[in-house]
Amino acid sequence: MASLQQLVDRAKRIVFFGGAGVSTASGIPDFRGAEGLFRQKYGELTPEMMLSASFFYLHPDKFFEFYRAHMLHPEAKPNAAHRKLYELERAKKLRGIVTQNIDGLHRAAGNRLVYEIHGSVHENVCMDCGREYDLIWMLETTGVPRCEQCGGIVKPNVVLYGEAPDKYTCMGACREISNCDLLIVAGTSLAVEPAASFLDYFHGRDLVTINLEEIPADDRATLRIRGDVAEVMGELEVR
Ligand code: NAD
Ligand code: ZN
């Protein structure tokens, strides 16, 4: 069976489709992995409830308390996987990163061809006047963040449960997936729609899965790698 290195060497258009497992080596916990946030309970509420659009509108104070405590990791730095993907993009082998992560670490590593289908903690928008704020501004606020211009609530541009992701970002992501010859699905349980269905757009030659555990997409994979994304990607040579 061909190795990941061989598949990368012969590929002309690689797309990397990742999730929370790509950033665990940067110190950001995932949701559904062994140490994930979904293993924990917050009183009667699950993280899925607290990160839902209805919870945001009903209890913005509690939402922001949870959001600041668990979703913001300003100290996190790109790891070996992010850095290798930057090298692959510079070498024009990588045509896109489709990520469910909201941490912005792919952009921090230097990648430009990034489809953040669940948005980013770096973007925050006033719900009343549309003024935009960055992560540093958000970190300096307390309680429910209010717009400096109009007093409206400033909402993070992250897709909450019950919200639809941005149509154009999803269209771009699906276009890249349908045009690639090698798709690497890494560090994602692919449990969340519409991301899970993005795989249906892939008609290329090789599908590789990299995950610590089995995932449904393994059934379709040319190569299944049980391992740490940062280690596996870090070992690749870009040539
Ligand atoms: P998930 O938590 O559902 O699944 C993570 C998957 O990654 C699991 O299958 C786990 O086995 C695997 N994994 C964990 N660490 C790994 C490692 N080091 N190497 C290889 N595999 C590893 O995450 P998901 O599928 O991305 O799903 C869902 C939602 O979680 C997304 O909507 C995303 O916005 C949100 N989320 C994002 C972040 C982030 O931005 N870093 C962190 C937590 C959750
Ligand atoms: Zn405003």
Side-chain angles (χ1 to χ4, degrees), residues 102-119:
I102 56 174
D103 54 38
L105 288 181
H106 289 299
R107 290 189 191 280
N111 285 85
R112 288 294 164 262
L113 308 172
V114 186
Y115 297 87
E116 294 170 313
I117 58 177
H118 291 161

Side-chain angles (χ1 to χ4, degrees), residues 19-20 24 31-32 100 102-103 118 187-189 211 213 228-229:
T24 49
F31 279 177
R32 295 178 187 79
Q100 299 162 82
I102 56 174
D103 54 38
H118 291 161
T188 172
S189 56
N211 202 301
E213 56 188 23
D228 176 75
V229 193

Side-chain angles (χ1 to χ4, degrees), residues 83-133:
R83 292 194 295 270
K84 192 63 61 167
L85 288 163
Y86 175 56
E87 270 186 62
L88 283 163
E89 183 179 302
R90 279 208 333 186
K92 300 205 167 13
K93 299 274 287 184
L94 183 80
R95 295 312 172 114
I97 295 173
V98 178
T99 183
Q100 299 162 82
N101 292 348
I102 56 174
D103 54 38
L105 288 181
H106 289 299
R107 290 189 191 280
N111 285 85
R112 288 294 164 262
L113 308 172
V114 186
Y115 297 87
E116 294 170 313
I117 58 177
H118 291 161
S120 169
V121 297
H122 291 272
E123 297 163 14
N124 303 280
V125 184
C126 170
M127 295 172 71
D128 289 344
C129 75
R131 182 164 169 185
E132 295 177 10
Y133 295 90

Side-chain angles (χ1 to χ4, degrees), residues 68 72 74 124 133-146 148:
R68 285 200 184 87
L72 298 183
N124 303 280
Y133 295 90
D134 62 14
L135 176 59
I136 295 165
W137 181 89
M138 177 60 85
L139 287 166
E140 284 168 354
T141 62
T142 52
V144 178
R146 294 279 177 181
E148 287 171 12

